[in-house]
Amino acid sequence: MTAGVGAAAAVAVGSGGAGAEEAGAAPVVISVPGEAPLRTNIPVVRDRRASGGRLLALRTAKKPSAHGWYATYAVHAPHPGIHTLTAIATAPVETPHTEAVGSYLRLAVNDGPFTDLARSQPHWYESKPAWGDLSVLDLGRVELRRGENTLTLRVDEPAVLDTTTAYALSLDHLTLRLLHRHPALHRLSVPRHRDGEPAHLHLSLDGHATRPHTVHYSVTDYDGHRVAAGRATVPAGRTSTTVALPEGLPPGHYRVHADDVTGAFARLPARPAPTGTANRFGVNVWHSSLVPPSRLAEFAAAVRDMGAGWVRDGQSWPTVEPVPGAYDTARHDRAIRTLRAHDLAVLDVLSPAPEWAMTDASLPLPADLRHAYRYARRLAQAGPEALQLSNEPDVDTTRSTGDAHAAFVKAAALGVRDASETPPLVVLPGIAQVGPFQDLMLANDVVRYADVWAFHGYPDPTVPGEPRFPGAADEQHALARRHGADVPLWMTECGAFLEARARADLTPAQEAVQARYLVKSMVEGLAAGNARQFWFAGPPVHDDGVYFGLLDREFAPLPAYSAFAALASLLGAARFVRAGQLTGGVKAFVFDSGRGELVTVAWAEARGVRLTLPGVAYDVMGRRISGSVTASPDPVYVVSRADSEPCGTPPGGRPLSRAEHIVLSQRYSARNAAPGKDNGDAPPPNGYRLGRRTRMAVDVYNFGTEALHVTVTGRAGGGWSVRPQGGAGRVRVPAGGRVGVNFSAMAGSSVRRRVDHRVIFRARLDDHSDVPDSVALVHLK
């Protein structure tokens, strides 16, 4: 469609002739109504909240033409020059005032090429609210000529919405403001490179230089020492120039100061870390929320070059399967291929179920576990190296219980295993904290369905001083030993809580804390027995006043990025050997790099503790240390020669029996739902709330390939009893089928109110093989 043809689409407010560009001149503001483009194929709708009573509104799954979904606007500029561009529009990420999101935009000025407005999540997240679901968005700077100009906004990529994937944009109006004393330096960057490779500093103005433009710059290292300085000139008519930096800079983190602009770069170790599944280190990505589509390939390369071998990612189940059996995983599958093309192994994560699959009693799980089986099988067919069966189910705000989640895990795990002859590893849900929810899952024997046990661990943010590695690893390993779990343990989230400042990066002190803690948490996690460590997060992310991420708001590396690179390069295979306490309170952890080396990682609470370990020493940035080596809060590495054996590959899971393809799931009505978890803080009782006599059912699922007869029996303690309704609990369950067996749960006169007791259902096949139990908690309400 076409709207606003021939209309006066842009209104300039302000004054000034020749002196308008001088300091103190009146502001020049140009307003562009969103509903009045010269050309567009996006609908215009009425809304009295919009500045003109109408706005541009796009929400469609229909693929656009080669020109994308677009809107071209006429802009009359009374003065040539650099203008800021803001929009009242939908942000491409969730913000504190709305969960509604739109697509990422591309922008072209006049006849220039399209550029991606691919700013980071913190940039958009901190946008101020406008009205409804719209925000005040900073779209950057544009260079306009005097008189008539055009701005074209284009949508090429769909956005992941609540229940679908669609091209989405709501645009009320655009505002441009002339910047005086511009063009000026706007961006600087140094492409990623390794030790021994040349380094080049790129300096970019926000427009074409009207005369030779000189830029003064300096480069400082992680310790703040100046290592380079100089000046460069952008020729008239150009927008950028490139400067060669000095050779011989050691690996590490560097900061560049030029005019009023600051940037950073990483010089990586010459020796790359192991790649893929042999690597012990990973990062959380969640690309659909945190990485603009146009940046994904470059981001994946940055993660690989940093030394991570794994990424943890996920997609929205409601978006992928908007109606039963209709899957749309194309967007996520492309992302998986991009990540894997950069030698990154992928740990994919299942999200909560779509609304159509849930009931009030099953939330956030599907009421029919066959949906979980089929969805997990579909995800596994995309080929991730591992599939995690949910994220922190123990600390959400629903009333789901550990037994219900265990049945879900079993069904999903069977779907993964049936996806191919070489299915992904099955990873148990990432548990936030030990407690009754996880205890109940383990009582339901979920470990036998998994290849990996998973959990999360963060330092207590209320404890002052440097963050300390939490006790979660020791607690989880003790729990695994108690349950006889013969599977590796992965910490699929670890990180530090750093206070975020709106529209500002971390302070140097915060950056140092993050870099130190990254190394310490990875080292102590492996020393505790974890087979793999995943940092949260890789991309820049601001969440409710807390900053995570190894990159800053401009996707430049933070010091922790360089610390990660040094860790992964020096530790290599990172096989833990032993830990010890040296004199002066120095903590030391020894690893076998798999390259005929022993690597000791050491640090101390205080500074100035001298180390006398034999070998070659490196600091937290991976720089070689000459002379004496002292321990401090910044970890150091000492590398010495040793015999080493090559790493083996952990075996996959054993085949599951016919009986293990039967899944029991206790089903209670919504009025008997558990009290709720309150983000993991709810006190007991935690079980289903029953009356003196309650009817319930045990759903018997058969995820095998042949029909089976199953006999179900129940028992309970603490004065409770269960008995089948209508006789024996023997049923025939067809392949891929579900049959409910009705029971009554009865509380005897001795049962006390609000005290949890276990109800256990067991099942046996006709060949006398036992089905894994279903164990739930119940209490008299």
Side-chain angles (χ1 to χ4, degrees), residues 612-672:
T612 57
L613 297 172
V616 180
Y618 301 84
D619 70 7
V620 68
M621 292 288 109
R623 298 173 296 190
R624 185 165 178 170
I625 302 173
S626 58
S628 62
V629 180
T630 58
S632 73
D634 280 341
V636 296
Y637 304 86
V638 179
V639 180
S640 59
R641 301 298 302 173
D643 294 331
S644 180
E645 296 295 331
C647 289
T649 300
R654 63 175 179 79
L656 295 173
S657 66
R658 290 196 312 164
E660 289 169 322
H661 278 74
I662 300 296
V663 175
L664 306 181
S665 179
Q666 299 183 39
R667 174 162 47 88
Y668 298 83
S669 69
R671 65 175 177 271
N672 300 123

Side-chain angles (χ1 to χ4, degrees), residues 488-502:
L489 274 70
W490 293 5
M491 183 179 272
T492 51
E493 282 187 25
C494 65
F497 297 94
L498 301 168
E499 183 179 356
R501 302 174 299 153

